[in-house]
Amino acid sequence: MGDKKVSLPAKLINGGVAGLVGVTCVFPIDLAKTRLQNQQGVQVYKGMFDCLAKTIRSEGYFGCYRGAAVNLTLVTPEKAIKLAANDVFRQKLSKDGHLPLWGEVLAGCGAGTCQVVVTTPMEMLKIQLQDAGRLAAQRPMATPSQTAAAGPAPSLVASASQARPARPQRPSATGITVELLKTRGLAGLYRGAGATLMRDVPFSMIYFPLFANLNAVGREAAEGHAAVQVRAPFWQSFVAGCSAGSIAAVAVTPLDVIKTRLQTLQKGEGEDTYRGIVDCTRRILSREGPSAFLKGAACRALVIAPLFGIAQGVYFLGVGEAVLGLLE
């Protein structure tokens, strides 16, 4: 049986559902990735597991999901645009049902370009929320000697609010959005758009052709003199998505590090601020060495592999078609 054509609404539903499921599963690892990539001087975390353990200890289990609401809200249009755009470009560039390698790469490039409209503000807000815990962990705690030197102890009759230091207010996505729009306009939400484009276009150019070829392995069945493409089973789509996603994710990790650093608004003590992509690249290379460009590479592979494996699995299972069938 040949591959059936999927309507655009079904593609959008498939992409949205896949994004929601995938993000829910892997978001804590993405949080660890962001915090590890932003470390410059003070090394709060030694690695992914250390980051997650310290986050749970200091912020609770749900601290690992800081910024998840932003992702869950915007990942539906983002993934829907990415998967649907790639599919549309592939159909337009195909000739007689065949798509050459250059067409696959070009379709991936188009998909990566389209998704940046949603990805940039989503990443901008998510990074601020994810990194807030790292910045809080960097703040020095007062030692007993420092407390004694500061003066006499507060009165026992003082109110609890006076005796207890105020906890730093946690940022919210709404508050950050309003502040950025007030101070920098819409451009504030699109800070780092060039770096996001620089990361997502190469990622899509690697991922989609690689996935398509892995997903097509063993799918040609001879019927007489004609070769017929049979629908890939779920496990093949899942493995192809995981494999292509992890390879593409690691390949563009240096670009992701640059993007994360540029989009982070609040810096820790002694940490660099950057004027642009070139300045960021030069400073990281001179102050931290080439290895800094691979910070969070393992985390990215662990995030992207299941994320796109689930996405492609849902896409090929036809969840969108089933939903539309129920609505008819």
Side-chain angles (χ1 to χ4, degrees), residues 2-326:
D3 285 337
K4 62 180 180 181
K5 297 295 183 182
V6 182
S7 65
L8 183 59
K11 293 171 187 172
L12 297 177
I13 293 171
N14 283 331
V17 171
L20 290 172
V21 175
V23 167
T24 302
C25 293
V26 301
F27 193 83
I29 303 174
D30 186 67
L31 178 136
K33 186 265 310 180
T34 298
R35 294 187 177 185
L36 290 172
Q37 286 183 339
N38 268 330
Q39 287 192 139
Q40 296 183 40
V42 179
Q43 299 295 304
V44 179
Y45 312 111
K46 297 182 178 69
M48 181 184 71
F49 292 110
D50 182 56
C51 177
L52 293 174
K54 287 180 177 176
T55 299
I56 293 171
R57 194 179 307 129
S58 61
E59 303 170 54
Y61 173 75
F62 289 104
C64 294
Y65 281 88
R66 271 192 170 188
V70 174
N71 250 35
L72 291 172
T73 302
L74 296 178
V75 74
T76 299
E78 188 222 20
K79 286 290 175 285
I81 289 170
K82 188 183 187 103
L83 293 174
N86 177 71
D87 217 59
V88 169
F89 283 125
R90 288 178 69 87
Q91 289 178 6
K92 296 295 184 184
L93 293 170
S94 295
K95 292 183 178 180
D96 301 323
H98 175 70
L99 184 67
L101 180 60
W102 65 265
E104 294 182 354
V105 173
L106 197 59
C109 177
T113 303
C114 290
Q115 78 170 75
V116 168
V117 175
V118 177
T119 303
T120 303
M122 180 184 75
E123 293 271 317
M124 184 71 186
L125 296 174
K126 182 197 72 170
I127 286 171
Q128 316 315 316
L129 298 171
Q130 286 181 326
D131 203 43
R134 180 188 70 89
L135 295 173
Q138 277 188 353
R139 295 190 186 101
M141 300 294 291
T143 62
S145 59
Q146 289 173 325
T147 304
S155 169
L156 294 176
V157 297
S159 66
S161 60
Q162 291 174 323
R164 194 180 298 121
R167 296 179 66 180
Q169 187 176 4
R170 288 187 176 184
S172 68
T174 304
I176 295 169
T177 302
V178 170
E179 184 64 24
L180 284 172
L181 290 175
K182 278 183 180 178
T183 58
R184 309 185 189 192
L186 189 61
L189 286 173
Y190 280 87
R191 173 171 170 159
T196 305
L197 195 67
M198 192 174 69
R199 178 200 67 174
D200 287 348
V201 169
F203 177 92
S204 295
M205 291 172 69
I206 297 169
Y207 172 78
F208 283 111
L210 184 56
F211 167 78
N213 284 279
L214 290 174
N215 200 46
V217 171
R219 286 172 54 196
E220 287 191 356
E223 286 190 2
H225 296 289
V228 179
Q229 288 286 337
V230 296
R231 191 174 182 85
F234 170 80
W235 68 265
Q236 185 173 357
S237 294
F238 183 82
V239 171
C242 287
S243 302
S246 59
I247 291 170
V250 172
V252 302
T253 295
L255 304 174
D256 187 60
V257 172
I258 294 169
K259 183 201 74 69
T260 301
R261 295 282 183 93
L262 287 173
Q263 288 189 315
T264 302
L265 297 174
Q266 298 293 326
K267 301 289 185 180
E269 187 177 353
E271 293 182 349
D272 283 334
T273 56
Y274 310 103
R275 293 190 297 272
I277 294 172
V278 175
D279 180 57
C280 180
T281 304
R282 182 180 57 80
R283 283 173 180 259
I284 292 174
L285 191 61
S286 62
R287 300 194 181 190
E288 301 172 61
S291 62
F293 288 107
L294 292 177
K295 283 184 176 181
C299 291
R300 269 187 63 76
L302 290 173
V303 167
I304 300 297
L307 189 64
F308 278 87
I310 292 168
Q312 294 297 347
V314 170
Y315 200 74
F316 281 88
L317 280 174
V319 175
E321 297 92 309
V323 171
L324 290 176
L326 292 173

